[in-house]
Amino acid sequence: MRFMKSSFTSFFTMIADMQSEVVCSRCRNILLYPRGATNVCCALCNTITQVPPPGMEMAQLVCGGCRTLLMYTCGATSVRCSCCNIINHVT
């Protein structure tokens, strides 16, 4: 039984390492996609969201105005919310 549990855990660790995430451009849900994909279709609203190119590090923050989860490229000093247009300063 230990072998199966260890293999099971290793399998899901491997799968997680092969995936990335992006926020849906329409409904703002987090979408998982396989690395190397150029876009991903949201299962909830069917919107196709473009995936950032490989090597572009992304970060997340919650908008201070409307509490929407925002993704932005690392190094940005501020992020404008696409829902309420508030400018969020990155700490």
Side-chain angles (χ1 to χ4, degrees), residues 30 41 48 72 80:
I30 295 176
C41 182
I48 301 208
Y72 63 94
R80 181 184 301 270

Side-chain angles (χ1 to χ4, degrees), residues 15-38:
I15 295 298
D17 288 343
M18 295 171 35
Q19 290 185 337
S20 293
E21 59 185 33
V22 69
V23 175
C24 175
S25 59
R26 182 174 183 202
C27 69
R28 314 307 293 167
N29 283 303
I30 295 176
L31 308 174
L32 293 176
Y33 64 91
R35 293 201 180 160
T38 57

Side-chain angles (χ1 to χ4, degrees), residues 14-81:
M14 180 184 71
I15 295 298
D17 288 343
M18 295 171 35
Q19 290 185 337
S20 293
E21 59 185 33
V22 69
V23 175
C24 175
S25 59
R26 182 174 183 202
C27 69
R28 314 307 293 167
N29 283 303
I30 295 176
L31 308 174
L32 293 176
Y33 64 91
R35 293 201 180 160
T38 57
N39 56 52
V40 60
C41 182
C42 179
L44 298 175
C45 70
N46 291 321
T47 298
I48 301 208
T49 300
Q50 297 298 313
V51 171
M56 184 178 285
E57 296 293 322
M58 301 296 286
Q60 300 174 350
L61 65 82
V62 175
C63 176
C66 66
R67 311 302 294 166
T68 299
L69 179 64
L70 305 173
M71 289 188 80
Y72 63 94
T73 55
C74 287
T77 56
S78 62
V79 181
R80 181 184 301 270
C81 179

Side-chain angles (χ1 to χ4, degrees), residues 7-20:
S7 296
F8 184 78
T9 304
S10 297
F11 173 76
F12 282 102
T13 301
M14 180 184 71
I15 295 298
D17 288 343
M18 295 171 35
Q19 290 185 337
S20 293

